[in-house]
């Protein structure tokens, strides 16, 4: 039996003045204060991000293809180009965030894609549509940027819940998008024959206006945020130092990059999102089309997208709370994926969707209600499990890049002549969801066994930020969340 290593970092019986000052701070009240200041601010930006990327599905059934004189396959190519831009812009966006501040970069990034989203409303041909979709991918910097941002405020076991709440804005975007598209669609005949242009223009302008205001309500890091007292800043620093590597002054090394690339777990995190991104984006991009193909008018289809997304918001928050309470990740991700798979089974099993639209509509509820909570949890997994700032940044980038390959494939599955059953698209989404359940189960078992192996070698570290020789998550004193 290997001899156990006992960590004595941060030992000593002396109590500093700062420790006395911060001991009077109520931790739960401080967390509520942080949540109220941080989550709504970044949540509204992500809501706008998801609204601007997915409203093309609402625009499609309002006459976009006819007015631009493009085919269904050319439309799908435009959807694909968004993810090409998304992948290409992601790393540069993260570099800019590191070199600037959240208060400057996140609103600026939002303004950039808001302008692009607005300009989509005035394109007149295929080339304009393709170019605008490509540059809309610049919004890729928001999600990984906010995940990094949270790591500078919250302890690792607190981040998963906050990231899930942040991601729940995506389902709210779907609900609001349906309501807005229904109302804006009634502007047909004002300037243009169809109302789809106004969907892009008005929602894009909304994004730009909110982003401009965000310079005033997005906060930087604890050390400079004015809504905190000096004692609260010290307390946050102590919390992070006692829990993660967020307070360490870590320099970039290529060794950390190689370590991430050679770590099978990092590839599993990517595969976990890959198997969720295809169902996620096919649902968000094609749900209006799927519902319209059940025999409903464009206006009715827009409204019918709202309840499934509202249900998805409820399930996302509920599953996040339960996952946090029980300290389990894999079982809730896999369970949510299976719940969504039931929905696609219902969609595929309904051989007469026009004659029985209610059956397919129930399937949509299952699909949305499982996809969004599973995606929220799988995206937060590397943020709480990968230690080492550079390695974590690379792991997050790997996850998004590998994941979006699934989204690229998904954009080509729902072809115009496949409706109303969309057998190919629904079947591939079903297969991906079942694959996700397998992937997260394997990863959960790997992490559990690794924790058990490490228990026999070393005690769990409690003061990562204060350990001089910290080796990241390869250190046997680190424990994984599974």
């Amino acid at each position: 039996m290997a001899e156990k290593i006992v960590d004595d970092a941060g030992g000593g019986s002396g109590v500093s003045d700062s420790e006395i000052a911060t001991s009077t701070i109520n931790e739960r009240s401080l967390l509520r204060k942080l949540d109220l200041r941080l989550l709504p601010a970044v949540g509204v930006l992500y809501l706008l991000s998801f609204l601007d990327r997915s409203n093309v599905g609402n625009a499609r059934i309002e006459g976009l293809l006819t007015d631009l004189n493009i085919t269904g396959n050319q439309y799908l190519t435009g959807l694909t180009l968004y993810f090409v831009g998304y992948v290409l812009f992601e790393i540069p966006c993260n570099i800019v965030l590191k070199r600037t501040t959240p208060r400057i970069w996140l609103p600026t990034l939002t303004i950039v894609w808001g302008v692009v989203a607005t300009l989509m409303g005035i394109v007149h041909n295929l080339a304009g549509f393709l170019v605008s979709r490509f540059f809309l991918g610049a919004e890729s910097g928001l999600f990984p940027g906010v995940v990094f941002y949270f790591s500078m405020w919250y302890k690792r076991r607190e981040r998963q819940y906050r990231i899930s709440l942040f991601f729940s804005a995506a389902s709210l975007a779907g609900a609001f998008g349906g309501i807005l598209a229904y109302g804006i669609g009634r502007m047909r005949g004002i300037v243009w024959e169809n109302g789809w242009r106004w969907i892009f223009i008005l929602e894009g302008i909304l994004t730009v206006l909110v982003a401009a205001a965000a310079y005033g309500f997005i906060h930087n890091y604890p050390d400079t945020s004015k809504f905190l007292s000096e004692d609260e800043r010290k307390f946050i620093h102590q919390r992070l130092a006692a829990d993660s590597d967020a307070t360490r002054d870590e320099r970039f090394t290529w060794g950390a990059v190689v370590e991430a690339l050679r770590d099978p777990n990092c590839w599993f995190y990517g595969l976990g999102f890959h198997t969720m991104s295809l169902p996620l984006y096919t649902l968000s991009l094609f749900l209006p089309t799927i519902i319209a193909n059940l025999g409903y008018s464009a206006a009715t289809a827009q409204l019918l997208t709202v309840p499934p997304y509202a249900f998805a918001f409820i399930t996302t928050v509920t599953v996040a709370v339960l996952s946090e309470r029980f300290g389990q990740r894999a079982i809730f991700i896999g369970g949510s994926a299976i719940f969504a798979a039931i929905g696609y089974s219902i969609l595929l099993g309904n051989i007469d969707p026009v004659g029985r639209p209610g059956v397919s509509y129930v399937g949509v509820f299952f699909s949305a209600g499982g996809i969004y909570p599973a995606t929220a949890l799988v995206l937060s997994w590397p943020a709480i499990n990968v230690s080492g700032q550079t390695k974590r940044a690379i792991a997050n980038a790997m996850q998004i890049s590998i994941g979006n390959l699934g989204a690229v494939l998904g954009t080509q599955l729902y072809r115009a002549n496949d409706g109303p059953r969309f057998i190919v698209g629904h079947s591939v989404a079903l297969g991906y969801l079942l694959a996700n359940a397998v992937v997260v189960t394997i990863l959960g078992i790997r992490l559990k066994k690794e924790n058990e192996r490490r228990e026999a070698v070393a005690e769990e570290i409690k003061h990562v930020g204060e350990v001089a020789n910290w080796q990241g998550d390869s250190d046997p004193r680190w424990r994984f969340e599974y």
Side-chain angles (χ1 to χ4, degrees):
M1 176 72 70
E3 182 179 354
K4 275 201 172 187
I5 303 169
V6 180
D7 172 54
D8 59 357
S13 57
V15 180
S16 67
D17 292 339
S18 64
E19 288 174 326
I20 294 174
T22 57
S23 65
T24 62
I25 293 175
N26 186 305
E27 185 172 18
R28 182 167 294 184
S29 296
L30 178 60
L31 275 176
R32 282 198 298 267
K33 183 177 181 179
L34 296 183
D35 290 343
L36 289 173
R37 291 280 188 163
L38 305 180
L39 292 179
V42 294
V44 71
L45 296 186
Y46 195 62
L47 185 152
L48 294 170
S49 167
F50 225 85
L51 183 66
D52 290 333
R53 78 179 68 171
S54 59
N55 61 8
V56 67
N58 302 105
R60 177 180 182 173
I61 65 174
E62 294 288 348
L64 181 148
L65 272 65
T66 302
D67 288 355
L68 295 185
N69 194 28
I70 61 178
T71 67
N73 290 343
Q74 290 171 332
Y75 168 80
L76 297 182
T77 300
L79 301 187
T80 302
L81 279 176
Y82 165 82
F83 291 102
V84 175
Y86 195 101
V87 172
L88 293 178
F89 289 125
E90 181 180 358
I91 293 179
C93 285
N94 288 339
I95 291 174
V96 174
L97 174 62
K98 294 279 284 186
R99 293 181 177 273
T100 58
T101 63
R103 168 167 279 177
I104 296 298
W105 178 236
L106 295 182
T108 301
L109 179 64
T110 307
I111 288 176
V112 169
W113 91 61
V115 170
V116 175
T118 304
L119 293 177
M120 283 187 64
I122 61 173
V123 300
H124 290 282
N125 52 39
L126 174 63
F129 177 68
L130 297 180
V131 169
S132 60
R133 288 301 296 179
F134 173 80
F135 282 103
L136 190 63
E139 64 185 10
S140 62
L142 181 63
F143 189 89
V146 171
V147 171
F148 172 78
Y149 179 60
F150 282 168
S151 73
M152 307 305 291
W153 287 92
Y154 295 104
K155 295 164 69 173
R156 63 183 286 240
R157 287 178 174 85
E158 296 166 348
R159 293 175 208 156
Q160 174 262 322
Y161 176 60
R162 272 78 186 179
I163 292 172
S164 294
L165 290 181
F166 168 65
F167 183 79
S168 68
S171 54
L172 280 182
F176 284 123
I179 296 172
L180 290 173
Y182 172 77
I184 297 172
R186 291 181 172 271
M187 294 179 66
R188 64 177 65 89
I190 301 177
V191 182
W192 296 285
E193 181 180 355
N194 290 314
W196 65 267
R197 294 183 184 276
W198 288 113
I199 293 177
F200 291 132
I201 292 171
L202 295 181
E203 293 179 3
I205 290 174
L206 174 64
T207 296
V208 173
L209 292 176
V210 173
Y215 288 109
F217 61 71
I218 292 291
H219 298 279
N220 285 325
Y221 303 119
D223 289 346
T224 58
S225 291
K226 295 181 179 179
F227 73 92
L228 296 173
S229 68
E230 188 60 34
D231 288 341
E232 287 174 332
R233 293 192 187 99
K234 292 177 180 178
F235 185 70
I236 290 173
H237 188 278
Q238 290 173 7
R239 293 176 76 248
L240 295 179
D243 173 78
S244 70
D245 56 19
T247 59
R248 295 178 60 84
D249 184 18
E250 179 184 313
R251 294 184 179 275
F252 172 87
T253 65
W254 284 106
V257 176
V258 173
E259 184 181 354
L261 294 173
R262 296 177 66 176
D263 187 346
N265 292 340
C266 291
W267 292 95
F268 271 108
Y269 297 132
L271 193 56
F273 180 47
H274 177 87
T275 49
M276 285 310 307
S277 68
L278 184 146
L280 171 69
Y281 285 109
T282 54
L283 186 74
S284 62
L285 291 171
F286 295 105
L287 184 57
T289 301
I290 293 170
I291 294 178
N293 271 259
L294 298 178
Y296 298 106
S297 66
T300 302
Q302 304 285 24
L303 283 180
L304 287 176
T305 63
V306 176
Y309 283 124
F311 179 63
F313 173 75
I314 294 171
T315 59
T316 301
V317 174
T318 301
V319 171
V321 170
L322 292 175
S323 175
E324 184 75 7
R325 180 170 299 174
F326 291 102
Q328 297 288 323
R329 316 301 174 200
I331 190 171
F332 284 101
I333 299 171
S336 297
I338 292 173
F339 187 83
I342 293 172
Y344 281 99
S345 298
I346 294 173
L347 287 166
L348 287 168
N350 186 9
I351 60 176
D352 185 17
V354 176
R356 297 187 298 172
V359 174
S360 293
Y361 194 55
V362 169
V364 168
F365 272 83
F366 273 89
S367 301
I371 287 172
Y372 280 87
T375 304
L377 292 183
V378 82
L379 282 171
S380 66
W381 219 352
I384 60 177
N385 267 353
V386 181
S387 182
Q389 294 173 15
T390 302
K391 182 180 179 180
R392 184 166 56 252
I394 298 301
N396 287 333
M398 287 172 62
Q399 184 186 47
I400 298 297
S401 298
I402 296 170
N404 280 325
L405 294 177
V408 169
L409 172 62
T411 58
Q412 296 295 320
L413 295 179
Y414 285 80
R415 298 183 176 270
N417 57 356
D418 288 350
R421 294 191 65 193
F422 296 104
I423 293 176
V424 174
H426 293 339
S427 297
V428 175
L430 173 61
Y432 262 63
L433 288 165
L434 295 177
N436 177 267
V438 173
V439 169
V440 299
T441 298
I442 293 173
L443 179 55
I445 292 173
R446 279 179 55 87
L447 297 177
K448 181 179 181 180
K449 288 185 175 180
E450 179 61 19
N451 279 357
E452 292 172 349
R453 185 190 70 80
R454 293 183 178 193
E455 285 289 348
V457 177
E459 293 182 0
E460 181 178 1
I461 192 73
K462 296 295 185 182
H463 303 280
V464 170
E466 300 170 357
V467 179
N469 64 336
W470 182 241
Q471 304 170 36
D473 60 64
S474 60
D475 193 300
R477 295 169 291 180
W478 179 263
R479 297 294 182 268
F480 297 104
E481 295 273 323
Y482 59 86

